[in-house]
Amino acid sequence: MNEKKELKKVEQYIEQCMKCGFCTYFCPVYQEEKVETSVARGKNYLIKLALQGQQEFTEEMGKIVGKCLLCKRCVVNCPAKAQIDRVVVGARAQMVNEKGLGFIKNLAFRKIMSDRKRFTRYLKLAKAFQWLLPKTEGNIRHLPDFLKALGAGRNIPELAKTFLRDMVKPVYEPQSKDKPVMKVGFFMGCATDFIYPEIGLKLIDFLTKRNVEVVVPKDQNCCGAPIYFSGDFLTGRLIADMNVEAFKEVDTIVTACATCSSTLKEYEKYLAETEEQKQKYANFGKKIKDSLEFIVKTLKVDPKNLKVRKEFHGKTVTWHDPCHLVRYQDIKDEPRSILKNLDGIKYVEMPNADLCCGMGGSFSIYHYDLTKRIAKKKLDGIKATGADIVVTACPGCMINLIDNVLQNRMPQRVYHIVELFE
């Protein structure tokens, strides 16, 4: 059964499914399509057949296991707690083993994204030509019809004029010049590095104001989420090892991206094959802190001492729970403990705040129409709050929320939570 190595790794999770169909009530994809292969139960059944040698990894099978947001709503609401996210990613990895990555992903993951300097050069080249895309508003552009494969009419943020890695210093001392209360590494993540450098700078400023020394290793890479969640464990391990090495001098690593923090914490779960890797990735995972858990639980910052930027005074604010924050890391109370106690804003809880926005990384590229249908329910929740501002803690969610808010001509604007503070 060596040829089914990746499926054998998740066999215990495949056997967890009781076929009750409870997942049909929570799967955002099934709720739109009402097709059994869209939901966890149907996917698990087909993957079990593949493990038993009764189902080939055909092109159609690839489409079925690919059409999952990995939002984990099925997992947290499953009576048996069946970890279908592990099963789906395991099936994708098995398919890569048997069929290969395909030309585009092989080029993107193994030739470009695995080499940060090369990746940066390609993005700088793309930046030089982004003026060809028409502007929507501010720094948002939209994709014309001839790019319909990526989602015609889609609003996308511009690549930053200067990437974060070209702006940051290797070390930031506390602004008070006092002895640091602690030293942390800052993990940028791709979206913060190339699209939203202001979020990274804001977090560094926030931490150094509170006597934290921040180091920013230049050799850090992508967290690996788009790569190993697509089943490319080989490149995933390569990138994981780069990040482990880049941050070996610090005991705590903070990031402002919910997807990055959950992905970095889970190297051991998905990528470890040897005992040495298990230990190495487990130790690395213990270092990782999402910015919100670090601010609330480690620094124990009193929200009453936080000053809201003047342009947000008097605004009504609501919160969107990123899937990788609320279900992957169980970080739900931390943002609310801040927002409910901030002077200068009014916080309103969003109905179904933990509903997936529909982004799902490359899911939104392959299934853009479905992404928009899923996002519609998120927009209904935003409308119900009457909020002026939606805040969250995942740049990926921000990109999708901004697109859908603009497409539906809604007045709300979307920010990362750290952007609220002076």
Side-chain angles (χ1 to χ4, degrees), residues 20-21 35 59 128 145 148 249 276 317:
C20 67
V35 176
E59 184 177 346
D145 287 345
K148 63 183 179 183
E249 302 297 333
E276 182 184 358
V317 178

Side-chain angles (χ1 to χ4, degrees), residues 92 95-111 230-232 235 366:
R92 292 175 182 176
M95 189 157 186
V96 170
N97 283 358
E98 294 186 19
K99 303 292 184 181
L101 262 179
F103 175 76
I104 293 177
K105 287 185 177 178
N106 186 64
L107 177 68
F109 297 165
R110 297 183 175 176
K111 306 297 183 187
S230 293
D232 184 5
T235 313
Y366 292 108

Side-chain angles (χ1 to χ4, degrees), residues 154-219:
R154 182 179 197 145
N155 298 284
I156 57 170
E158 287 182 339
L159 291 166
K161 289 183 172 59
T162 305
F163 295 158
L164 183 58
R165 64 182 46 246
D166 295 327
M167 302 165 71
V168 290
K169 299 185 297 185
V171 180
Y172 288 83
E173 296 178 350
Q175 294 182 31
S176 66
K177 304 300 181 186
D178 292 340
K179 183 181 178 183
V181 294
M182 64 186 302
K183 175 182 175 181
V184 305
F186 171 59
F187 185 86
M188 300 182 211
C190 298
T192 305
D193 190 354
F194 302 124
I195 298 172
Y196 299 118
E198 64 275 14
I199 293 174
L201 295 174
K202 175 60 75 174
L203 181 57
I204 291 171
D205 180 66
F206 185 96
L207 296 177
T208 54
K209 279 179 178 172
R210 287 157 182 84
N211 276 353
V212 177
E213 181 182 342
V214 180
V215 298
V216 190
K218 285 278 188 181
D219 291 334

